[in-house]
Amino acid sequence: MSQYEIEYDKVTPNDITLLFPENTTVTDAIKGVSYKTDANGEPIESTIQPLYGLDPSQVKLPEPPKRKINIVFIVAGILFIVTALYIHFKKRRTLN
């Protein structure tokens, strides 16, 4: 049985190593570049190109849809409940 030690904290680039095969086209959206790799998985300088129009700090995630609660239905529901309770207790009093 093996034993694992688990730690958690902020992840740094040194914590994750991705080694791509030679001649792989890599698009690094965090750094905003694309390039091809050499035999060691490193970027080939002559192939590094900036990704125009892609700035990760400017990327905005879509907002969740806003819930539009219709006040008319809420008021009608409350009035319905109050009326139903009134009728229920009125009938109960007349039976006693």
Side-chain angles (χ1 to χ4, degrees):
M1 183 171 170
S2 61
Q3 184 177 16
Y4 297 100
E5 183 177 328
I6 300 174
E7 296 180 24
Y8 60 93
D9 202 0
K10 291 183 179 179
V11 178
T12 64
N14 296 332
D15 295 332
I16 300 172
T17 303
L18 296 175
L19 184 59
F20 295 102
E22 184 177 6
N23 214 15
T24 300
T25 302
V26 177
T27 302
D28 188 339
I30 295 172
K31 293 181 181 176
V33 296
S34 82
Y35 55 86
K36 287 195 175 206
T37 57
D38 61 13
N40 296 324
E42 298 295 323
I44 300 171
E45 291 293 327
S46 62
T47 64
I48 297 176
Q49 296 178 351
L51 297 174
Y52 296 106
L54 181 62
D55 181 4
S57 65
Q58 300 299 321
V59 174
K60 294 184 180 182
L61 298 175
E63 293 183 18
K66 295 179 181 177
R67 294 183 180 171
K68 295 182 180 180
I69 299 175
N70 195 338
I71 295 295
V72 174
F73 289 119
I74 292 174
V75 171
I78 291 172
L79 288 175
F80 178 75
I81 292 171
V82 169
T83 305
L85 289 173
Y86 173 76
I87 292 171
H88 173 73
F89 285 112
K90 186 176 179 183
K91 282 185 179 181
R92 206 170 187 193
R93 284 188 197 160
T94 57
L95 294 177
N96 290 336

